[in-house]
Amino acid sequence: MTVSKTASSCAALSLVAAIGLTFPAAPAAAAEDPHISEIGYTLDTDFIEIAADPGTDISGWTIGSVTRGGSVHAAENTTIVPEGTTVGDSGALAIDVSITNSVKSGNAADGSYGSSAFAIDDDGVLVGFEQIGGVIDGAGVTGKSNKNTPDPVVGEEAAPTGATASGGQTIQLVDGAWTSAAPTPDALPGDDGGDDDGDTPVPEDVTPVADVQGTGNESPLQGETVKTQGVVTASYPSGGLNGYYVQTPGTGGADDETPGASDGVFVYSPDTVAGVSIGDHLELTGSVSERYGQTQVSVGANDVTSVDEPAEAVKPVEAEFPDDAAARESLEGMLLQPGGELTVADNYNTNTYGEVVLATGEGTLPQPTDVARPGSAEAKAVEAENLEREVVLDDGATVNYLENDKDTVLPYISNDSPVRVGAQATITSPVVLGFDHEKWRFQPTTRLTGDNAEAIQPASFSDTRTEAPEDIGGQVSLASFNVLNYFTTTGDQLEGCEYYDDREGNPITVRGGCDARGAANAESLERQEAKIVTAINKLDASVVSLMEIENSAAFGKDRDAALETLVDSLNEAAGEEKWDFVPSPAEVPADEDVIRTALIYQPAEVAPHKDSTILDDEEAFSNAREPLSQAFAPKDESGELDVDKTFVTISNHFKSKGSGEGPGNEDNGDGQGNSNADRVKQAKSLVEFAGEQQEAVDSDFVYLLGDFNSYTQEDPMQVFYEAGYKDVASEMTDESTYVYKSRTGSLDHVLALDASDGPSAFDAITGADVWNINSVEALALEYSRFNYNAGDFYAPDQFRASDHDPVVVGLFEPEDDGDGADGGSDAAEASAETDGGDADAGGASDDGTDADSSAGADSDNSGSADSDNASSGTSTTDADGSSTAAGSSTAEAGPGGDLPRTGVDPALTISIAAGLLLIGASIVAVVRRRRLGGRG
């Protein structure tokens, strides 16, 4: 096989098979000049076909499309043809590339118009620029400059084809005119399809499958007609693959008689696939080709015969699936029973294509900038390893369940047996190794759906769900929670809203056209709210920072209207007045987003101290949500305020990575995405604001919470580390909050100040957990995907209530002696100071500002979304690495107490402790003052 010509797959080819099209076996007429001959934009996979003389080298050509506005929308909408790519004997070569925009009525091109396809040769000459639709000889779309549009396209006018395609068809240049017809990728439009009457010359000798595959990336027999034999190991008469795999009898298992060459191959044969069965011994005659990266033999209706002699059984290769590309190549098309460790790395496309991304070895695939500095050699090494570890568990089909197969129950999706990122996967029955979409794929031996999963599904998964966060200890707790555009102003209350609809055409969520961003109607809001309420009540934190909640002032209501509705629903579900919200301050920014940050809390556990404050910095936060600050004082067991432990919380939601303008805000490819400079500016403004809030309440216990849209080692986070903050989750857990394109990392953080002379906000933490209930769950479970598929996946539980996971942190060791607010911990502090030192010395310098040491420390574990929480409320880790048992105190050692784990004689320890108590009594007031941030 060969690496795919583009970043797409054989889906278009499979669609061609589905409509019964065959390919010519003999060379077609030579093309007069290289030109665009076919554009497929209504298929599962888009393509642009180049017609040229057979053998024409198109290496280095740039193929792509512009939008109706004339610019290339994204990098994925162009591709550079790999070295060694030539036009085959058919005189046409289809290049997979995503085509932007659908056809639309408008006046920019004299009528119905759409995107335009272009081809640029390796000398930079614009070979073709053809517009979908428009009026022939009329005005065409003009190429416009942006970062993605190639220079040869800029200022050029596309030629309107006047043709548009209905679903499943393409537009094709036939006899000088564009028309709509069934797809013919890799065959000149208008070709008669070649012979299919059994007249294809039949080779006399049988060519072993291993010789068809060869030992390189491509078959050495491309373009040749071969006769080969094999046992059918997998068959796909439905779902779009339209073929089957055959393998040389007796091969597989532990013995490899053809080292470096595979003994299995895919047979593309829509005419015969329905008539073959797994286990059949067949002789096949057909042409060899590399179709979108996978070697295959294309076989006609009369070119398959049964072999009478019994075939020795094929055995699956039972071994750990290799990371090495050449080793995988030697297994292409063969039956496997992969062993070794496999971890679920992504389930996003399970909702669309029935795919589950797996990672070989331990742990998920880490986001490079979550564990190493952006653009560094370490980050690049992380991504290189990610690419080696990836393999897709597929469903034996090419269908898009969101578009053309909504009534077939999705595979791998289940509320009872969830497939979660971070779960261990076990291959329970043999699969065939295929290649498609530039990914290696484990294919089941026939098409898998949710309806036949019990018999067909080839894998099982560990259940990593938990009903509540880990025990984090503490007198009180803090958490962040993204409420996924919770809008009580639903789309049907506004004019102009456009919707995402379910499979029956019912609106579910707003997609644009108005200021609402959430549920389409009351029914959909009820489903969304049920999941959020369940999750927050089970999170059960004393204070919760909310992101993506409606700013009701944008709809002419009280700013807190949606927030109040959510709190009322939380209390109704809890059966008591458990929650309250921090009211908006009197002064709010003049220009705010339609979503905002907010803070809710449990009055039985904490009380607000002074009024809330919003950071009104228009220069820094013009494109983001302004931070909201509120100080709280914990309550002791009797309900009295423990004002000496007053802490500051600031809720945040920085600018996203999706867009950006101005210097430093365009994606430069280092992994930080768009708007990095703006997020750095926001971080600096927040640090200054936090200092003001700290001074206002005279407390060193400062916590910044929320969605910073920055992974742990990115530039904005460095601003916090340099200012003395520590990222609690990365310091105290191995868990992450977000999954994007199969990479796991944290955009959501709780940052604790660790810069004071005395005990700091970080020292006060008793434990932390990332509660993986959202990012690791399948998208199909989200309220926004209700009734998108025939499977009923919605449940009013906490799973997939949002797309970000909450971080929860415990604060302050609970009092255990009933003798007052500080009960003995002061003596322990005195002991620590008398014993030689400030436990926090140097702590702030080790919080991630050193890119190399940080990357080395984190690169092996930060991707593990379900690792056990090392803190778990049982211990706190000081800056020097020592650990103290939660709830214990050296000063309290005695009958019924816990002794410190010093490794010395207990009697000696007790004596020392008693002496230190006497010494400590004289300085306890000083220590207490330092520990509580200077408060008297």
Side-chain angles (χ1 to χ4, degrees), residues 724-745:
Y725 288 87
K726 284 187 175 181
D727 182 62
V728 176
S730 64
E731 295 276 348
M732 304 184 74
T733 81
D734 291 326
E735 298 158 324
S736 302
T737 70
Y738 198 66
V739 180
Y740 181 68
K741 291 187 175 180
S742 304
R743 305 296 183 259
T744 296

Side-chain angles (χ1 to χ4, degrees), residues 707-793:
D707 178 2
F708 294 87
N709 271 310
S710 304
Y711 290 109
T712 307
Q713 295 300 329
E714 292 183 355
D715 295 343
M717 303 304 294
Q718 303 303 314
V719 174
F720 299 120
Y721 305 150
E722 291 165 6
Y725 288 87
K726 284 187 175 181
D727 182 62
V728 176
S730 64
E731 295 276 348
M732 304 184 74
T733 81
D734 291 326
E735 298 158 324
S736 302
T737 70
Y738 198 66
V739 180
Y740 181 68
K741 291 187 175 180
S742 304
R743 305 296 183 259
T744 296
S746 287
L747 296 175
D748 310 85
H749 307 274
V750 174
L751 296 159
L753 187 61
D754 190 43
S756 61
D757 292 334
S760 67
F762 186 78
D763 295 329
I765 295 172
T766 57
D769 185 33
V770 176
W771 192 24
N772 293 130
I773 57 172
N774 295 326
S775 71
V776 301
E777 293 280 353
L779 180 62
L781 276 58
E782 199 171 280
Y783 94 97
S784 64
R785 298 304 189 272
F786 179 80
N787 197 34
Y788 268 48
N789 180 263
D792 183 11
F793 303 120

Side-chain angles (χ1 to χ4, degrees), residues 486 529 533 537 563-575 579:
Y486 174 80
E529 190 177 88
V533 165
N537 272 331
L563 180 59
E564 184 173 10
T565 298
L566 177 60
V567 168
D568 288 345
S569 297
L570 285 165
N571 288 332
E572 182 180 358
W579 297 94

Side-chain angles (χ1 to χ4, degrees), residues 235-528:
S235 179
Y236 311 98
S238 66
L241 289 179
N242 295 292
Y244 41 95
Y245 286 93
V246 298
Q247 186 169 329
T248 302
T251 58
D255 298 326
D256 186 2
E257 297 181 1
T258 58
S262 169
D263 294 299
V265 69
F266 181 69
V267 177
Y268 171 67
S269 186
D271 293 328
T272 68
V273 63
V276 304
S277 300
I278 293 174
D280 287 353
H281 188 195
L282 305 177
E283 184 171 277
L284 315 153
T285 301
S287 60
V288 180
S289 61
E290 292 288 329
R291 297 293 184 185
Y292 304 99
Q294 179 172 249
T295 302
Q296 70 176 35
V297 180
S298 297
V299 172
N302 301 317
D303 297 325
V304 178
T305 58
S306 296
V307 178
D308 292 334
E309 62 189 68
E312 184 180 350
V314 169
K315 299 175 287 293
V317 175
E318 297 183 11
E320 185 173 334
F321 187 63
D323 291 343
D324 178 70
R328 293 183 175 187
E329 181 72 41
S330 70
L331 298 171
E332 182 195 270
M334 293 182 66
L335 200 63
L336 308 180
Q337 181 78 52
E341 192 164 9
L342 294 168
T343 305
V344 176
D346 202 359
N347 54 19
Y348 185 85
N349 274 341
T350 316
N351 187 60
T352 309
Y353 298 110
E355 304 170 348
V356 178
V357 179
L358 303 178
T360 61
E362 182 180 358
T364 55
L365 303 173
Q367 185 69 244
T369 57
D370 200 57
V371 296
R373 290 288 286 133
S376 67
E378 292 83 357
K380 293 175 182 177
V382 169
E383 182 56 18
E385 183 178 354
N386 285 342
L387 294 173
E388 290 178 350
R389 294 176 60 204
E390 277 185 324
V391 59
V392 175
L393 178 63
D394 215 332
D395 63 342
T398 63
V399 299
N400 184 329
Y401 289 94
L402 290 181
E403 293 183 2
N404 51 26
D405 220 348
K406 297 179 181 181
D407 293 331
T408 299
V409 178
L410 282 166
Y412 300 116
I413 303 290
S414 170
N415 278 307
D416 298 327
S417 301
V419 180
R420 289 164 42 97
V421 175
Q424 296 303 298
T426 302
I427 305 301
T428 54
S429 60
V431 293
V432 175
L433 181 62
F435 188 88
D436 186 11
H437 267 92
E438 290 196 335
K439 304 292 184 185
W440 292 99
R441 295 171 183 271
F442 294 150
Q443 296 285 10
T445 55
T446 193
R447 183 186 178 184
L448 169 70
T449 70
D451 290 328
N452 66 14
E454 186 173 349
I456 303 300
Q457 183 168 306
S460 64
F461 308 89
S462 61
D463 187 353
T464 59
R465 282 180 169 178
T466 59
E467 286 299 313
E470 297 291 330
D471 181 9
I472 55 171
Q475 181 180 352
V476 294
S477 55
L478 309 176
S480 64
F481 199 97
N482 184 304
V483 293
L484 193 65
N485 287 315
Y486 174 80
F487 274 61
T488 55
T489 303
T490 55
D492 59 358
Q493 300 175 25
L494 303 173
E495 296 291 334
C497 292
E498 300 171 353
Y499 303 101
Y500 292 103
D501 298 334
D502 69 8
R503 63 196 178 103
E504 296 172 352
N506 302 309
I508 301 297
T509 54
V510 176
R511 69 182 302 170
C514 62
D515 285 338
R517 298 185 183 179
N521 48 45
E523 294 82 5
S524 189
L525 175 60
E526 184 178 356
R527 288 188 287 267
Q528 179 188 23

Side-chain angles (χ1 to χ4, degrees), residues 25 89 92 101 141 206 209 370 405 438 470 514 557 601 612-613 630 632 645 664 694 736 760 767 774 838:
D89 290 341
N101 293 152
V141 170
V206 172
V209 170
D370 200 57
D405 220 348
E438 290 196 335
E470 297 291 330
C514 62
K557 306 174 185 177
Y601 65 97
S612 64
T613 306
Q630 177 65 64
F632 292 92
K645 295 178 182 177
Q694 176 186 5
S736 302
S760 67
N774 295 326
D838 185 356

